[in-house]
Amino acid sequence: MTNSLVPPAGPQRVLALAQLTNSVGDGAYYVTSALYFTHVVGLAPARVGLGLTLAWAVGSLVGVPLGRLADRRGARGTAVLLALATGAAVASFLVVRGFVPFVIAACAYASAQSGLAAARQALLAGLVSAGDRTRLLALLQSTLNAGLAVGAGLGGLALSAGTRAAYLGVFALDAVSFLVCAGLLLRLPSVAPVAATASHGLGVLRDRPYVVVTLLNTVLLLRMPLLSLGIPLWITERTAAPAWVVSALFVLNTGAVMVFQVRMARGVTGLGSATRAVRRSGWVMLAACAVFTLSAGVSPWVGVGVLVVGAVLQVVAEMGQSAGSWQLSFDLAPADRVGEYQGFFGTGVTVARTAGPLVLTTLLVGWGTPGWLLLGGVTLVASYAMGPAARWAAEGAVGAAARQPVPVA
């Protein structure tokens, strides 16, 4: 890493170390969990999928109240407790031996992960100036990818061994990584809790402009399962390219984000630059989808070249969309409710992970070329709609600030 990719000493570096620590454990978990639950725990694949879908649905619902808890009780303490809870949930997988206990453990894991993400965003907002947040988030994304890559390598060793002990070692590693993460977060300065204001009723759901921004961002995030599901199925079902290209494209994406995400985020400093970044990413994503369609019906090596070009365009779109959405999610949230709003904004990731596989399978494998073009077109429309939605949300935020809600005891 160059110096530009290393956060300055202090809270920013500690946040990055905490991110790196638990992302190594998560990387190992992601590549081994499916086989662990089916081969070691003995669950049917369909039951594993059902259980995880239920778990992330629960996690998306509790993210907002846990984010609100971080605002009201203190972001650092809440983040530390949720990191410990995540570690405990992962450890519980070691003793799960049935579908119902698996679902309970998975719900605890997804809930703690969703709450932790919101609490960490609230902690970041309290410790880092507004002008530095998007750059730090870009650094954290690069750190996340580095950790996932290392963890995936460790998980690969467990898969090669194929023993029960190897799988258990991976889950123990992931649990310990969250304990270390909690210890690192505890080293950060505390962020004063925000005094409760007059009742918000449905909370963030009453902020219709922010809800629209979140929904549009969710549409843009439907590309998330592309690397893990959409492109692999497209390659194996619709092209003559060799299967190893799937792994090569994953490495390309991970490496590009590690090296270039910070540079891509440098020009995003406010609402205007954020919406422009999202809009540009929409055009690039449309181009990526069009290029991917050209990989069908050609020779294997021509197909490989086309797939690489499409993957490069896709990761450029991904980095631009990420940088713009980070800026919007913070700038449009009230200063006293960052955790709550980040908890809601984060549900877009959960929805994309839940609905994305079905959407992408239908569009890419079922429809082929028209499906790719529809995906690119919908992305472009959502990216252009983000500008008016963000302006609407900004106007609402100014009006809300002028009304100055009265704190309650």
Side-chain angles (χ1 to χ4, degrees):
M1 293 177 81
T2 62
N3 289 338
S4 64
L5 296 180
V6 178
Q12 294 192 34
R13 188 168 296 176
V14 174
L15 285 168
L17 287 173
Q19 179 79 290
L20 178 64
T21 299
N22 73 256
S23 63
V24 170
D26 276 346
Y29 167 85
Y30 291 149
V31 300
T32 59
S33 58
L35 292 180
Y36 172 79
F37 292 133
T38 55
H39 292 181
V40 177
V41 179
L43 299 174
R47 287 200 141 196
V48 173
L50 174 61
L52 293 178
T53 298
L54 291 173
W56 284 110
V58 172
S60 67
L61 293 176
V62 303
V64 172
L66 288 176
R68 185 180 298 150
L69 180 67
D71 293 331
R72 299 295 173 249
R73 299 298 181 184
R76 186 187 68 173
T78 303
V80 169
L81 289 176
L82 288 170
L84 293 173
T86 306
V90 173
S92 71
F93 286 130
L94 296 171
V95 296
V96 163
R97 292 295 179 271
F99 179 66
V100 173
F102 162 70
V103 172
I104 294 173
C107 286
Y109 172 77
S111 298
Q113 279 273 47
S114 297
L116 176 59
R120 286 167 85 159
Q121 297 291 69
L123 185 58
L124 184 151
L127 296 175
V128 180
S129 65
D132 291 332
R133 289 173 190 166
T134 296
R135 180 178 183 276
L136 177 57
L137 284 166
L139 284 166
L140 294 179
Q141 186 68 20
S142 297
T143 302
L144 171 67
N145 275 35
L148 290 176
V150 173
L154 296 175
L157 295 177
L159 291 176
S160 297
T163 64
R164 183 174 183 274
Y167 286 118
L168 293 178
V170 165
F171 277 72
L173 170 67
D174 196 21
V176 170
S177 76
F178 279 98
L179 297 183
V180 177
C181 173
L184 289 169
L185 293 175
L186 199 57
R187 294 174 51 192
L188 291 167
S190 61
V191 174
V194 180
T197 56
S199 175
H200 293 294
L202 295 175
V204 63
L205 294 177
R206 294 186 60 195
D207 190 341
R208 287 179 293 176
Y210 197 88
V211 170
V212 171
V213 169
T214 301
L215 290 175
L216 290 172
N217 188 63
T218 301
V219 173
L220 297 175
L221 289 175
L222 288 175
R223 47 89 182 157
M224 288 187 67
L226 266 177
L227 279 178
S228 61
L229 181 69
I231 291 175
L233 289 176
W234 171 260
I235 290 174
T236 56
E237 298 291 331
R238 294 278 189 154
T239 78
W244 58 258
V245 177
V246 173
S247 177
L249 297 184
F250 182 86
V251 172
L252 185 154
N253 181 278
T254 303
V257 173
M258 287 171 55
V259 176
F260 297 110
Q261 180 67 79
V262 175
R263 299 180 189 180
M264 290 287 292
R266 282 177 182 166
V268 180
T269 56
L271 291 178
S273 56
T275 55
R276 287 193 295 273
V278 171
R279 192 161 56 242
R280 285 195 300 270
S281 75
W283 281 110
V284 178
M285 188 63 192
L286 176 60
C289 291
V291 169
F292 278 126
T293 68
L294 301 178
S295 63
V298 296
S299 67
W301 289 108
V302 172
V304 170
V306 172
L307 288 166
V308 169
V309 174
V312 169
L313 291 171
Q314 187 269 326
V315 74
V316 170
E318 174 187 332
M319 291 187 288
Q321 187 268 326
S322 295
S325 66
W326 293 332
Q327 187 77 35
L328 293 172
S329 70
F330 277 106
D331 284 3
L332 298 175
D336 62 337
R337 299 167 68 191
V338 172
E340 177 186 350
Y341 271 58
Q342 288 298 314
F344 179 70
F345 198 80
T347 61
V349 174
T350 304
V351 173
R353 285 175 174 168
T354 303
L358 177 60
V359 172
L360 293 182
T361 302
T362 301
L363 291 180
L364 308 187
V365 180
W367 295 9
T369 296
W372 273 113
L373 297 179
L374 179 59
L375 176 64
V378 169
T379 300
L380 182 63
V381 170
S383 69
Y384 263 78
M386 189 66 84
R391 287 192 292 272
W392 182 29
E395 293 168 359
V398 171
R403 289 191 290 273
Q404 295 181 340
V406 179
V408 296

